[in-house]
Amino acid sequence: MTTLTARALLLDMDGTIVNSDAVVERCWRRWAEEHGLDADEAMKIVHGRQGYATMAVLLPDRPMELNHEDNRRMLAAETADVDGVVPVPGAPAFMAALASLPHALVTSADGPLSRARMTAAGLPMPAVRVTAECVSASKPDPEGFLKGAAELGFAPEDCIVFEDSEAGIAAGRAAGMRVVGVGPRAAAHGPDVAVTDLTQVTVETTGDGGITLRIATTG
């Protein structure tokens, strides 16, 4: 058991509180095949980044305006496809425990996509949200997490990030925050604590309004 304390939590969405892997697989495998890429290799890096940033990694010589055009189409396709989108195990109870505590969603999805997936998973949308439209740089840049902390009114060192991907964990680290890694991709990328899912996390409130996390760790 590991115990962490914080003033606020910053939550990634896909792979962290929402399992959208089925949609991501469908959309990104189709895109990779259309561009003559190995879909299995492409799937290793798509998680965590905004779509245009993933495309820039996969096709480094391609004009960025084409990546942005494809990203707009990808977002529309993903927003329309919620088949198989479900909460990560433990996410409903975890989000319910955070209802009155400082927390924010910090996601590489845009506003419509984040609303579609949170609704499909039956999860409440946090009042504070940092989506793709809110930042100038994709994860692993720390901008989103720093903006989330600032909007909640807390210093980075007082925040804990929940993330599943290499890019997201790197962004949390770069923001000067502690990171709880969630899911099968997370443990390999150096989070402070790793869990299989959110059933291993218990949220408690301290007397001064802070947050205590009791985590049954997997690594």
Side-chain angles (χ1 to χ4, degrees):
M1 183 72 70
T2 296
T3 300
L4 299 175
T5 59
R7 307 298 297 182
L9 303 184
L10 303 177
L11 315 174
D12 174 53
M13 182 180 69
D14 294 302
T16 301
I17 56 175
V18 171
N19 182 346
S20 57
D21 281 0
V23 180
V24 173
E25 287 270 345
R26 284 194 294 272
C27 291
W28 277 98
R29 282 184 177 278
R30 183 167 58 244
W31 183 89
E33 290 164 0
E34 288 171 355
H35 290 84
L37 300 172
D38 184 316
D40 289 335
E41 291 302 311
M43 291 310 301
K44 294 178 181 179
I45 68 162
V46 303
H47 300 284
R49 296 176 175 85
Q50 291 190 42
Y52 74 86
T54 295
M55 293 168 189
V57 173
L58 292 170
L59 297 172
D61 298 324
R62 189 185 197 219
M64 187 58 77
E65 59 266 26
L66 296 181
N67 295 335
H68 282 288
E69 289 176 11
D70 275 7
N71 187 47
R72 285 189 287 272
R73 287 192 288 270
M74 180 75 74
L75 286 170
E78 289 186 292
T79 302
D81 183 358
V82 294
D83 186 25
V85 174
V86 295
V88 166
F94 177 73
M95 296 299 290
L98 293 182
S100 63
L101 299 174
H103 67 288
L105 190 72
V106 181
T107 175
S108 294
D110 66 1
L113 179 57
S114 62
R115 288 191 294 272
R117 287 186 175 166
M118 291 290 281
T119 299
L123 297 175
M125 182 68 84
V128 176
R129 302 180 290 275
V130 181
T131 56
E133 308 95 324
C134 302
V135 297
S136 60
S138 172
K139 299 172 185 176
D141 191 281
E143 180 185 358
F145 286 124
L146 292 172
K147 190 164 187 173
E151 290 193 22
L152 290 171
F154 295 99
E157 60 268 24
D158 291 328
C159 299
I160 292 177
V161 165
F162 279 71
E163 264 286 359
D164 74 300
S165 69
E166 180 179 9
I169 291 169
R173 288 288 202 193
M177 301 173 185
R178 292 159 291 162
V179 180
V180 175
V182 180
R185 292 182 287 270
H189 303 300
D192 293 271
V193 182
V195 297
T196 301
D197 58 46
L198 294 171
T199 63
Q200 295 170 242
V201 181
T202 301
V203 180
E204 300 173 0
T205 306
T206 63
D208 62 354
I211 301 169
T212 298
L213 301 175
R214 303 202 186 280
I215 303 170
T217 57
T218 56

